[in-house]
């Protein structure tokens, strides 16, 4: 395909051996760079799972590094992740120091973040901090690792299964980390693993935490739906409070001059409560 030829050309321009081009369901040759072609957009988890199903058949695979295609890892990023995970046998997931590619002196997160178990909202550790102010360790253990750069032990997949595909995009790494935590696997931050993140390269969404937020309507839709679905799945007794929290979301949209999004967000909430998941609803984009 044209896409495969483009990626193969990129490899060759870097002086690397051309990758082996495979399709989903075909075995991937161990020890080779492989380009796995999918017939459709399966979302974050679905795309990664297609590769994981093949990679986890390799006997020599001890861990898998999930790395977004909108990232620029520094040369020692993976080495630092492996060292941190090897030093903590009880941990199952390890994240990098993520910095914004457009402002590399500003941190996106130190490994991952925390989940508000009453409202379903998330907060990234160290988001918006200047690089010089980055702490040596997080104030408390992480609830999840950011999926843009995440090293995961093989044993985690063996005991927890693959990434949850029903979310399509957003909150899947939170769900996966919650399941891993219930199996005794903790989350780590490898401070020496540095990755630049071109935030919003795929979704055009920008901002979180203390920074200004700008999201397309379909990203807004997914965030609301997936938040309520996660609460329904993991903390059902607290779901009524999470639903009430949507009032704050609606007020924020009014404040931003986005009142036209509110009906769609209410539909998104209904889909999350009903478990109607997968791709965004027709017309949301």
């Amino acid at each position: 395909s044209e896409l495969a030829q483009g990626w193969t050309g990129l490899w060759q321009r870097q002086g690397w051996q051309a990758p082996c081009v495979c399709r989903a369901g075909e075995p991937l040759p161990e020890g080779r760079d492989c380009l796995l072609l999918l017939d459709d957009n399966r979302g974050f988890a679905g795309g990664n799972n297609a590769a994981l199903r093949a990679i986890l058949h390799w006997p020599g695979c001890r861990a898998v590094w999930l790395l977004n295609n909108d990232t620029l890892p520094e040369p020692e990023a993976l080495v630092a992740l492996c060292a941190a995970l090897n030093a903590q046998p009880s941990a199952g997931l390890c994240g990098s120091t993520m910095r914004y590619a457009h402002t590399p002196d500003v941190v996106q997160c130190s490994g991952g973040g925390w989940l508000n178990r009453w409202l379903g909202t998330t907060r990234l550790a160290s988001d918006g901090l200047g690089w010089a102010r980055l702490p040596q360790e997080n104030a408390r253990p992480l609830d999840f690792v950011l999926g843009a750069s995440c090293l995961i032990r093989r044993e985690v997949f063996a005991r927890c299964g693959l990434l949850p595909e029903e979310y399509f995009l957003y909150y899947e790494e939170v769900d996966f980390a919650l399941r891993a935590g219930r199996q005794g696997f903790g989350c780590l931050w490898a401070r020496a693993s540095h990755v630049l993140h071109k935030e919003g390269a795929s979704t055009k969404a920008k901002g979180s935490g203390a920074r200004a937020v700008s999201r397309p309507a379909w990203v807004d839709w997914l965030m609301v739906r997936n938040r309520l679905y996660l609460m329904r799945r993991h903390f059902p007794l607290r779901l009524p409070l999470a639903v009430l929290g949507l009032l704050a979301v609606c007020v924020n949209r009014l404040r931003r001059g986005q009142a036209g999004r509110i009906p769609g967000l209410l539909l998104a909430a209904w889909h999350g409560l009903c478990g109607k998941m997968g791709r965004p609803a027709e017309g949301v984009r």
Side-chain angles (χ1 to χ4, degrees):
S1 71
E2 184 178 340
L3 179 61
Q5 292 173 356
W7 278 103
T8 299
L10 176 62
W11 253 269
Q12 293 172 335
R13 287 193 296 274
Q14 296 294 326
W16 304 333
Q17 181 182 6
C20 176
V21 179
C22 303
R23 291 196 173 274
E26 297 178 356
L28 302 183
E30 189 170 2
R32 286 282 308 278
D33 288 332
C34 299
L35 181 61
L36 183 62
L37 300 181
L38 303 181
D39 295 328
D40 58 349
N41 181 1
R42 303 182 186 181
F44 176 83
N48 279 305
N49 284 346
L52 287 169
R53 290 186 181 96
I55 292 170
L56 293 174
H57 282 295
W58 298 348
C61 175
R62 296 175 54 197
V64 176
W65 187 20
L66 304 184
L67 183 68
N68 272 21
N69 62 354
D70 61 354
T71 58
L72 298 169
E74 294 191 357
E76 299 300 310
L78 180 56
V79 173
L81 284 170
C82 292
L85 205 54
N86 285 334
Q88 294 286 342
S90 63
L93 304 90
C94 189
S96 302
T97 298
M98 307 295 296
R99 292 148 57 197
Y100 293 105
H102 59 286
T103 50
D105 59 333
V106 178
V107 176
Q108 181 184 18
C109 77
S110 47
W114 301 289
L115 172 71
N116 183 319
R117 287 171 163 77
W118 293 96
L119 298 176
T121 56
T122 58
R123 181 165 65 91
L124 295 179
S126 305
D127 182 28
L129 274 184
W131 167 240
R133 297 175 54 205
L134 186 67
Q136 291 299 314
E137 58 183 34
N138 287 315
R140 55 192 172 98
L142 296 171
D143 290 331
F144 65 92
V145 171
L146 192 69
S149 176
C150 179
L151 185 67
I152 306 174
R153 290 187 194 275
R154 181 191 191 101
E155 292 82 2
V156 179
F157 295 112
R159 290 168 60 178
C160 302
L162 299 180
L163 302 171
E165 298 186 15
E166 61 268 36
Y167 290 88
F168 188 75
L169 188 64
Y170 299 114
Y171 275 90
E172 54 273 277
E173 70 260 68
V174 182
D175 186 299
F176 186 74
L178 289 173
R179 286 160 45 203
R182 292 189 178 113
Q183 294 296 322
F185 295 107
C187 295
L188 286 181
W189 167 38
R191 193 182 190 280
S193 174
H194 297 280
V195 176
L196 298 179
H197 191 192
K198 300 176 184 178
E199 184 200 21
S202 299
T203 64
K204 308 304 180 187
K206 295 182 180 180
S208 60
R211 301 177 310 110
V213 176
S214 173
R215 294 174 182 156
W218 69 274
V219 171
D220 229 6
W221 197 94
L222 283 173
M223 293 286 281
V224 167
R225 184 198 67 177
N226 294 356
R227 179 200 304 182
L228 291 182
Y229 179 76
L230 181 133
M231 292 298 293
R232 171 194 174 204
R233 185 174 187 180
H234 292 278
F235 309 103
L237 296 181
R238 302 176 183 181
L239 188 56
L241 187 59
V243 172
L244 285 176
L246 285 177
L247 291 175
V249 175
C250 293
V251 169
N252 271 333
R253 299 308 170 270
L254 288 171
R255 181 175 56 84
R256 295 177 192 166
Q258 298 173 335
R261 292 190 182 187
I262 292 176
L265 295 182
L266 294 177
L267 176 64
W270 179 249
H271 281 202
L273 293 171
C274 296
K276 186 176 180 180
M277 303 297 287
R279 291 171 179 266
E282 289 295 329
V284 172
R285 286 178 179 264

